Amino acid sequence: MAAAMPLALFVLLLPGPGGWCLAEPQRDSLREELVITPLPSGDVAATFQFRTRWDSELQREGVSHYRLFPKALGQLIAKYSLRELHLSFTQGFWRTRYWGPPFLQAPSGAELWVWFQDTVTDVDKSWKELSNVLSGIFCASLNFIDSTNTVTPTASFKPLGLANDTDHYFLRYAVLPREVVCTENLTPWKKLLPCSSKAGLSVLLKADRLFHTSYHSQAVHIRPVCRNARCTSISWELRQTLSVVFDAFITGQGKKDWSLFRMFSRTLTEPCPLASESRVYVDITNYNQDNETLEVNPAPTTTYQDVILGTRKTYAVYDLLDTAMIHNSRNLNIQLKWKRPPENGYIHYQPAQDRLQPHLLEMLIQLPANSVTKVSIQFERALLKWTEYTPDPNHGFYVSPSVLSALVPSMVAAKPVDWEESPLFNSLFPVSDGSNYFVRLYTEPLLVNLPTPDFSMPYNVICLTCTVVAVCYGSFYNLLTRTFHIEEPRTGGLAKRLANFIRRIRGVPPL
Amino acid sequence: MSENAMGSTMVEEQFAGGDRARALARDFAAHRRKSGALPVAWLERTMRSVGLEVYTQSFSRKLPFPDETHERYMVSGTNVYGILRAPRAASTESLVLTVPCGSDSTNSQAVGLLLALAAHFRGQIYWAKDIIFLVTEHDLLGTEAWLEAYHDVNVTGMQSSPLQGRAGAIQAAVALELSSDMVTSLDVAVEGLNGQLPNLDLLNLFQTFCQKGGLLCTLQGKLQPQDWTSLDGPLQGLQMLLLMVLRQASGRPHGSHGLFLRYRVEALTLRGINSFRQYKYDLVAVGKALEGMFRKLNHLLERLHQSFFLYLLPALSRFVSIGLYMPAAGFLLLVLGLKALELWMQLHEAGVGLEPGGSPGPSVPLPPAQGVGLASLVAPLLISQAMGLALYVLPVLGQHVAAQHFPVAEAEAVVLTLLAIYAAGLALPHNTHRVVSTQAPDRGWMVLKLVALIYLALQLGCIVLTNFSLGFLLAATMVPTAALAKPHGSRTLYAVLLVLTSPAATLFGSLFLWRELQEAPLSLAEGWQLFLAALAQGVLEHHTYGALLFPLLSLGLYPCWLLFWNVLFWK
C-alpha cells in the first residue's frame, strides 16, 4: 500500500498531453468554434459549438479510460446501446421571420430524441431509464417523459449520423414545452466540456450574460461518424452547441455595433490547450454588400466563403490556435444518402390513447411556390380527472410545438465541401448534394385552456367534510371500540367491607 | 384583490414619455387628416422604429343594412398591430393594449400614448409575456375582425386576411380611448357583449393604480359616492347599480373590450374624460397607470380566475356578489312556478269534477291536460312561434322590397317592418280560434297559460343565469302580469298592463330610465327616435358582433308573450 501510493501520485502528476502521446496516439480530439452572426433585425446571434470526436467503439470495447469525451455520456452510450442522442434545452423562440434561418433549430422547452441500437430488446424501458438518467445529469425534468408525450415519428426524424438501416421502431421522440432552462442546466452542460469554463471559448459562457438574452438554446448531440474515408470503422462524435441571441435594441440603444465584451462581459485570452482547433467566425457578408462603414476590429487572419443555408456567406475567421498546430487533414467526405421519400400525400396518423400516448400526425406535402399552407387540427376540450390537473390549472396545458423538416433548394449551388474540414456550424446536418440544404423549423408551443373546475369550492368542501368526518369518526370509533363496565358505586365504606369479609369467610357470596 | 400574483402595487412606474406621446398624437392626427383613413404606412413605420414586429390585417364587411348611427354600410379597413416579443419566452402568452379608431372617435391621443408606451416597454427586460399593441380601424368592427382572425374562427361573416403574427393565448386586454392631451378623470367600462363581465380582479387592479397615482376614476361616468353613512351615498350607489344593470341588460359591447370577453380574455376599456374640473392630469399619469397595470398583468402565472366573474357594481370599490342578487331573481321566478302549480291543481280538480258520477275511491283520473289541452294548444303555440320567426327573419330579408315600395331608407324599412310585425302579432288571438275548435273553453285557456308559464319560467331562468341584468329586468316586468292574465274580469285593464310589460315596451321604458339616471331626461319624441335607433342597433349588433338580445327577444320572449296575449283574449 505504501509503495503504491507514490506510484499513483507519480502517474497523476504526469503532464497530460505529453505523457499520453508518447504511449499511444491520441484517439480523441476537440474542436471548438464560435459563430457570430448579425441578424437582419439588428440583433446579434452567437453560436458556440464544441465537438469532441473519439475514435473508439464505445459499445464493443470495454472502455474504462476517458480523456476528452465525458465519462458520464460515454457510459450512457454503452449501457443503453444508444446509436444517436439529441437533447436540447431552449428558452425563447427563434423568430425565423426576423432573424433568418438558424443553424440549429430547437423547440421551446426540452426536446429529446434518441435512436437506439437494433440490439435493444425493450426500447420503451431503455427510453424510460435513459430519460431519468439524463434528467439527473442535466438537472432537468426529463423524468416527466413518459408514454403520454413520447412518439415514434416515421418520416421527419432520420439519423444524422452513420446508419445502415432506419427502422423507426428504435426511435423515440419527446418534447417538454414547459421546461424552463436556467443556470442549473447550463452548469452541468459546461462541465462536460474538456476545458470546462476555464480556458478557450468557454470562458465566454457566463451565466448571467447568457440568460440576459432574447433566446437561449443549448444542446447535446451524440452520433456515430465515419473514422476514415473508407468508413471501415466508426468514431463517436459529441457536439455541444449553444445559441444565444442578444437584443441589440436594449443593449446597444438601437446601434448595430457590438463587441465580445459587451455581449459576454469577457474577452478571449487563451485557447483551450486540449483543443485541436479553436476558431471564431464572424459573418461579414452584409458588411461587404451594404458598403457600410463598419469594420471588424482586429482585422481577421483569413476569411472563409461558403454557401450556408442556400446563400453565399463570407466569414472573417480568427484562429485561436497556432495554425501549425492544426492536425493533419483527414479528407473525409461523408456521403449519406437518405432513402427516397415516399410519394406525395404520405400521411401517417397515430391516434392518441387517453393517458397512454399522444396523437402523432406526420404529413409529407409538396408546397407550391409562394403559397401559404395552413394545417389545422380540431380538438375538443374535455374535463380531466381531478387528480390530473396541475397545481396551476388555469395557466393552461401545453401542446408541443410541431416540427417542419424540409430540403430547401439552394439559391447558390454549393461546392461539395470537405466535411471534416468545414466549420462546425455547417456540418451538423448531412447534406446529400450541393443543390439542397436541410432545414428544420419548429412552431411555438400552444397554450390551451381546458375546462377547469373551481378548485376553491372542492377545497372548502374537503376541509368541511374532513372536520365533520373527524368529529363523527372519533366519537363513533370511541363508542364502537370501548368496552363498558358498570362500576359499582363504592357505598357503605368500612361497614360493608367488613360485612363482605365476614361473608367470604363464611362462604356466602358478598353483597 | 384575490390574485396573489398581482398582490401589491410595488411597481416603480418609470414612464416619462408624455412629450413623445403628445408629439406622436399630433403626427398621427395630421397624417390621418391628410389621408382621411387610418395612416397605415405611418403607423407601421413608427411601430417598427420603436422596435416592434409589425403586421397589418385588412378586412371588409358588408353590413346587413346601412348603419345610420355610425354612417357606414360597406366597410373595409386595415388593422395595424405591433408585437413586443418578450425575451426568452416562447410566445405562448400575451397581453393586448388596443386603441379603436373610428370615424367619429379619432382617439389620436390614445394612439400617441400607445406608441410612447410601446417605446418605453421595448426598452425593458422584465417582460414574460408578449405585448400586442393593436390599432383597429372602424372601432369595433376592426376589433371583431382582428379577434376572429387571431382565433381563426368566423362567426359573423367578416372577410379578413389571415394574421401573419401571433403571440399565443391572450391573457388580458386593455382598450384605451383618449381624445385630449389632458384628462380630468378616467372612466372605466366593464360591460361587454351579451352582458359578459371581466374578472373583478382586473377592475380592482385598475382601481388600485388609480389610487396609487392619485387619478380620479369614474364608473358609468359618475363620481364615486363618498359618504356611505348618510342616505345620499347608498342612493348614489343605487343609481350606479341601476345604470350598470341597464347597460349590462342591453348586451352591447360598451367599448372594444367587450368583444375580447367572448374569447375568455379579461378586458376593460379606459376612457379619458376631459370636463370642466379644475385639476387635470397629463398623459404621463395615464401612462404610468397603464404601465403599472401591464407590469402587474405580466406577473400573472395563471389566467385571471381567482375573483368574481358575476357581480354588480354600486361603486368602483364595492360589489354585489352573485350570491346576494341571485335569490331575488329566484323568488321572482318562483311566482311563475307557484302559479303554474296552482293552475295544475285547478285543472286536476276540474277534471275530477267533470267526470260523470264522480266515482269515489282511488280511481285516479287521467291527467286532464293531456286529454283536452294538446290539440287546442298546437295552433296558438305554432302561430306565435311563427310570428317570432317572422320577426327575426323578415325585417332584414325584406328590407329591399320595403324600400322599393315605400319611400323609406333600408335602415328605416328594417325598423318599421320590425314594428309592423310586432304589432301584427297583437291581432292574432282574434283569429286563432277559427282554427281551433274547443269543447271546454275554460280548461283550454288554463292549459295554454300553464304551458306559457312554464315556458316563460324556463326562458327567464336561462337568461338570468347568463345575463343577470337582462333576466331580472324582464322578470320584474313580465312576471306579475303574466301571472295575472286570464280571460275574465276587466280585460281592457289586463290588456293595457300586458302591452305595457311587453318586451318592446320594456325596452322603451328602459331608455327613459337610462337617460333619467344619467340626468339627461328625454322628451317623448326624442325617446321615440332613440327607441327606433336602438332597435336598428340591436339588429345590427346581432349580425355584426353576434349579440344575442335580438334573437332572444324575437324568437323566445315575444312568442311567449303572445301566448299570454292569447290567454287574455281566449273565447
Side-chain angles (χ1 to χ4, degrees):
Chain A
M1 192 63 204
M5 276 297 283
L7 190 67
L9 277 177
F10 171 70
V11 172
L12 282 175
L13 286 172
L14 268 176
W20 294 113
C21 275
L22 293 177
E24 53 174 315
Q26 276 183 18
R27 298 181 64 194
D28 46 2
S29 63
L30 169 72
R31 288 172 66 188
E32 55 177 15
E33 111 183 358
L34 164 64
V35 190
I36 296 174
T37 323
L39 299 174
S41 67
D43 301 333
V44 181
T47 308
F48 292 86
Q49 285 210 31
F50 301 88
R51 189 186 86 151
T52 313
R53 186 190 137 134
W54 194 6
D55 298 339
S56 147
E57 295 205 19
L58 281 168
Q59 275 141 358
R60 306 246 176 87
E61 301 161 17
V63 179
S64 58
H65 178 67
Y66 289 81
R67 199 178 81 104
L68 297 179
F69 205 90
K71 189 173 178 184
L73 295 182
Q75 285 178 334
L76 217 60
I77 296 170
K79 178 154 186 213
Y80 295 108
S81 306
L82 301 184
R83 192 204 282 163
E84 276 192 24
L85 180 146
H86 303 272
L87 169 66
S88 72
F89 297 100
T90 307
Q91 183 86 38
F93 182 69
W94 186 277
R95 320 229 169 251
T96 314
R97 176 188 288 263
Y98 280 80
W99 295 346
F103 294 126
L104 310 154
Q105 257 282 24
S108 180
E111 181 202 42
L112 175 66
W113 57 287
V114 173
W115 279 91
F116 291 93
Q117 299 278 359
D118 47 14
T119 51
V120 177
T121 48
D122 191 348
V123 179
D124 288 318
K125 181 162 165 282
S126 299
W127 168 248
K128 182 83 197 144
E129 285 178 15
L130 175 72
S131 54
N132 277 294
V133 172
L134 286 173
S135 158
I137 293 178
F138 290 100
C139 292
S141 329
L142 295 174
N143 51 327
F144 284 109
I145 291 177
D146 54 16
S147 68
T148 60
N149 47 22
T150 302
V151 291
T152 305
T154 57
S156 330
F157 289 87
K158 302 288 177 191
L160 295 185
L162 211 56
N164 294 330
D165 57 338
T166 53
D167 183 357
H168 287 273
Y169 174 70
F170 298 101
L171 169 66
R172 289 293 179 275
Y173 173 86
V175 177
L176 296 174
R178 264 199 106 157
E179 183 70 17
V180 177
V181 186
C182 203
T183 39
E184 81 260 22
N185 307 113
L186 182 68
T187 313
W189 184 90
K190 278 201 290 193
K191 280 187 180 158
L192 298 178
L193 296 172
C195 282
S196 186
S197 52
K198 302 283 191 297
L201 294 177
S202 48
V203 294
L204 299 179
L205 301 173
K206 249 179 86 63
D208 61 334
R209 300 303 298 176
L210 290 184
F211 289 101
H212 201 269
T213 51
S214 304
Y215 174 81
H216 172 106
S217 173
Q218 62 186 68
V220 172
H221 302 275
I222 300 175
R223 60 175 176 175
V225 293
C226 284
R227 189 176 297 183
N228 48 31
R230 278 170 293 124
C231 220
T232 47
S233 52
I234 62 166
S235 303
W236 283 90
E237 185 196 69
L238 163 70
R239 279 189 193 233
Q240 290 178 254
T241 66
L242 188 144
S243 315
V244 285
V245 175
F246 290 91
D247 190 343
F249 197 90
I250 290 178
T251 52
Q253 277 85 41
K255 286 184 207 157
K256 269 187 169 178
D257 47 353
W258 51 265
S259 69
L260 278 186
F261 189 79
R262 201 187 290 170
M263 288 194 290
F264 299 103
S265 79
R266 285 284 180 281
T267 50
L268 290 171
T269 46
E270 49 171 351
C272 172
L274 300 172
S276 57
E277 185 187 303
S278 181
R279 283 180 178 168
V280 179
Y281 291 82
V282 179
D283 187 347
I284 52 169
T285 319
N286 288 334
Y287 298 167
N288 298 341
Q289 282 174 359
D290 296 354
N291 230 353
E292 288 183 83
T293 53
L294 285 174
E295 55 173 350
V296 193
N297 191 18
T301 49
T302 49
T303 58
Y304 171 79
Q305 277 204 346
D306 199 0
V307 176
I308 310 293
L309 299 174
T311 47
R312 189 169 294 284
K313 299 265 185 178
T314 311
Y315 291 91
V317 185
Y318 299 89
D319 201 339
L320 295 187
L321 296 178
D322 192 358
T323 42
M325 284 183 69
I326 296 177
H327 56 77
N328 304 329
S329 59
R330 292 207 181 93
N331 269 336
L332 179 77
N333 188 9
I334 191 157
Q335 286 288 331
L336 194 138
K337 292 275 187 206
W338 285 358
K339 273 186 201 162
R340 266 198 74 76
E343 285 308 305
N344 287 340
Y346 169 77
I347 292 183
H348 170 68
Y349 177 63
Q350 189 185 356
Q353 292 169 11
D354 277 353
R355 297 167 182 97
L356 283 179
Q357 68 177 34
H359 288 278
L360 170 67
L361 174 65
E362 282 187 287
M363 292 193 284
L364 194 65
I365 32 183
Q366 190 159 19
L367 304 179
N370 288 327
S371 64
V372 177
T373 304
K374 190 155 82 176
V375 180
S376 59
I377 299 161
Q378 282 195 337
F379 59 89
E380 287 175 7
R381 296 162 197 251
L383 276 171
L384 301 180
K385 287 181 183 164
W386 70 283
T387 46
E388 287 169 344
Y389 283 97
T390 50
D392 51 351
N394 281 289
H395 179 69
F397 291 79
Y398 284 92
V399 177
S400 310
S402 42
V403 189
L404 181 84
S405 310
L407 266 182
V408 182
S410 177
M411 281 197 278
V412 194
K415 59 181 187 300
V417 285
D418 188 347
W419 188 76
E420 195 64 24
E421 277 297 290
S422 69
L424 295 179
F425 64 81
N426 197 16
S427 59
L428 181 61
F429 292 117
V431 179
S432 52
D433 52 22
S435 60
N436 292 323
Y437 64 97
F438 181 76
V439 168
R440 178 169 290 152
L441 298 173
Y442 293 89
T443 63
E444 304 104 318
L446 181 68
L447 193 59
V448 177
N449 267 82
L450 292 185
T452 312
D454 182 2
F455 281 105
S456 56
M457 196 203 69
Y459 175 73
N460 292 340
V461 171
I462 288 166
C463 286
L464 193 70
T465 338
C466 286
T467 319
V468 171
V469 165
V471 170
C472 292
Y473 175 79
S475 40
F476 266 98
Y477 185 77
N478 265 337
L479 283 174
L480 291 174
T481 53
R482 278 199 187 160
T483 49
F484 291 91
H485 300 280
I486 298 166
E487 197 177 342
E488 291 285 329
R490 296 176 76 190
T491 49
L494 189 65
K496 193 175 175 183
R497 246 190 275 173
L498 202 64
N500 279 340
F501 181 68
I502 295 167
R503 286 170 82 101
R504 206 180 299 151
I505 293 170
R506 283 172 53 204
V508 186
L511 284 172
Chain B
M1 209 175 296
S2 309
E3 177 61 60
N4 241 340
M6 305 195 303
S8 72
T9 49
M10 283 178 62
V11 171
E12 194 192 334
E13 296 95 341
Q14 292 162 334
F15 177 69
D19 294 331
R20 190 170 186 182
R22 269 190 295 279
L24 286 167
R26 267 198 304 279
D27 272 13
F28 174 77
H31 278 90
R32 193 187 161 85
R33 232 174 292 126
K34 213 186 322 175
S35 65
L38 196 71
V40 175
W42 180 84
L43 268 175
E44 273 188 274
R45 209 166 49 241
T46 318
M47 281 189 177
R48 205 161 277 136
S49 74
V50 299
L52 304 182
E53 274 184 44
V54 190
Y55 305 91
T56 58
Q57 182 215 12
S58 54
F59 63 93
S60 68
R61 174 86 165 91
K62 186 173 167 236
L63 300 182
F65 55 91
D67 183 356
E68 306 241 307
T69 353
H70 296 101
E71 295 172 358
R72 56 191 180 193
Y73 181 41
M74 314 257 266
V75 180
S76 68
T78 311
N79 296 327
V80 184
Y81 65 105
I83 305 180
L84 192 168
R85 295 289 183 190
R88 316 176 46 66
S91 292
T92 52
E93 296 170 291
S94 56
L95 307 171
V96 174
L97 177 61
T98 172
V99 172
C101 290
S103 50
D104 43 353
S105 58
T106 51
N107 273 344
S108 35
Q109 271 75 11
V111 174
L113 185 59
L114 173 132
L115 292 171
L117 273 175
H120 174 64
F121 285 178
R122 183 63 181 85
Q124 311 305 319
I125 51 160
Y126 42 65
W127 299 114
K129 299 175 173 41
D130 291 4
I131 303 179
I132 303 176
F133 296 91
L134 168 67
V135 180
T136 62
E137 201 173 2
H138 298 295
D139 41 44
L140 266 66
L141 281 178
T143 314
E144 177 69 30
W146 188 82
L147 278 170
E148 283 186 13
Y150 193 92
H151 294 97
D152 203 11
V153 290
N154 195 343
V155 286
T156 61
M158 182 82 71
Q159 274 130 30
S160 59
S161 58
L163 297 191
Q164 296 295 319
R166 266 168 229 269
I170 304 174
Q171 304 288 309
V174 177
L176 187 64
E177 293 178 16
L178 271 183
S179 295
S180 56
D181 283 348
M182 305 294 259
V183 293
T184 50
S185 61
L186 274 183
D187 188 49
V188 57
V190 286
E191 301 88 355
L193 189 71
N194 296 326
Q196 278 184 296
L197 298 171
N199 196 283
L200 194 58
D201 267 341
L202 192 63
L203 189 74
N204 290 343
L205 182 72
F206 166 70
Q207 203 222 343
T208 326
F209 276 98
C210 275
Q211 277 176 355
K212 191 186 174 198
L215 274 167
L216 195 62
C217 304
T218 59
L219 186 69
Q220 321 287 355
K222 290 191 175 298
L223 284 177
Q224 302 308 301
Q226 300 295 327
D227 184 17
W228 286 94
T229 49
S230 72
L231 192 63
D232 218 25
L235 269 183
Q236 278 182 19
L238 183 68
Q239 205 179 357
M240 287 171 76
L241 188 79
L242 276 176
L243 272 171
M244 173 162 181
V245 165
L246 287 176
R247 272 170 76 154
Q248 199 188 358
S250 75
R252 306 181 57 180
H254 289 269
S256 64
H257 75 282
L259 300 174
F260 282 87
L261 293 170
R262 182 196 291 164
Y263 301 93
R264 179 97 162 71
V265 176
E266 308 310 322
L268 43 78
T269 294
L270 305 182
R271 284 196 184 90
I273 308 278
N274 196 10
S275 67
F276 302 108
R277 295 175 74 87
Q278 283 289 314
Y279 198 78
K280 294 191 190 257
Y281 307 91
D282 61 350
L283 293 182
V284 176
V286 183
K288 277 188 172 173
L290 280 171
E291 185 194 356
M293 283 177 74
F294 271 85
R295 287 190 62 177
K296 278 288 161 190
L297 290 171
N298 183 45
H299 291 173
L300 277 184
L301 297 174
E302 302 179 59
R303 264 167 198 279
L304 286 170
H305 69 285
Q306 301 274 12
S307 194
F308 287 86
F309 285 97
L310 304 161
Y311 50 86
L312 294 173
L313 296 169
L316 206 48
S317 51
R318 282 161 194 259
F319 71 98
V320 184
S321 86
I322 179 172
L324 283 172
Y325 64 63
M326 218 49 181
F331 282 122
L332 267 176
L333 297 185
L334 195 64
V335 172
L336 295 178
L338 289 177
K339 191 73 191 169
L341 198 67
E342 189 206 340
L343 277 176
W344 176 260
M345 304 290 280
Q346 277 180 9
L347 279 170
H348 197 270
E349 280 165 18
V352 173
L354 271 178
E355 268 188 27
S359 62
S363 70
V364 181
L366 280 173
Q370 286 173 2
V372 194
L374 291 184
S376 64
L377 278 186
V378 172
L381 274 178
L382 273 184
I383 291 171
S384 50
Q385 279 299 334
M387 279 311 282
L389 198 64
L391 189 66
Y392 177 65
V393 176
L394 282 186
V396 176
L397 211 63
Q399 51 171 321
H400 300 296
V401 183
Q404 272 169 13
H405 290 85
F406 300 97
V408 285
E410 273 113 331
E412 279 179 324
V414 169
V415 175
L416 293 180
T417 323
L418 208 62
L419 285 175
I421 297 176
Y422 195 91
L426 301 187
L428 273 184
H430 309 290
N431 301 321
T432 41
H433 300 285
R434 298 189 188 148
V435 196
V436 190
S437 62
T438 47
Q439 296 98 358
D442 215 29
R443 295 179 65 191
W445 75 261
M446 281 171 132
V447 174
L448 181 59
K449 186 173 172 186
L450 178 66
V451 171
L453 280 174
I454 294 171
Y455 189 32
L456 182 65
L458 281 178
Q459 282 191 27
L460 288 178
C462 294
I463 297 173
V464 155
L465 288 180
T466 50
N467 184 351
F468 169 77
S469 300
L470 178 64
F472 186 78
L473 268 186
L474 289 170
T477 50
M478 288 183 81
V479 165
T481 37
L484 287 177
K486 60 181 177 195
H488 306 299
S490 59
R491 276 195 186 179
T492 32
L493 178 68
Y494 282 139
V496 169
L497 268 180
L498 208 54
V499 168
L500 279 182
T501 55
S502 80
T506 310
L507 173 62
F508 196 56
S510 302
L511 287 173
F512 275 92
L513 181 62
W514 157 254
R515 293 299 286 264
E516 193 63 45
L517 288 170
Q518 281 202 323
E519 289 152 21
L522 280 173
S523 69
L524 205 61
E526 281 175 339
W528 179 250
Q529 287 302 321
L530 202 62
F531 175 65
L532 294 184
L535 286 183
Q537 283 299 306
V539 179
L540 256 186
E541 267 159 22
H542 169 59
H543 287 284
T544 47
Y545 310 129
L548 288 176
L549 186 65
F550 174 55
L552 210 62
L553 290 185
S554 60
L555 291 176
L557 284 161
Y558 174 66
C560 188
W561 180 84
L562 274 183
L563 288 181
F564 287 106
W565 189 255
N566 262 314
V567 169
L568 189 61
F569 291 101
W570 193 268
K571 286 182 183 132

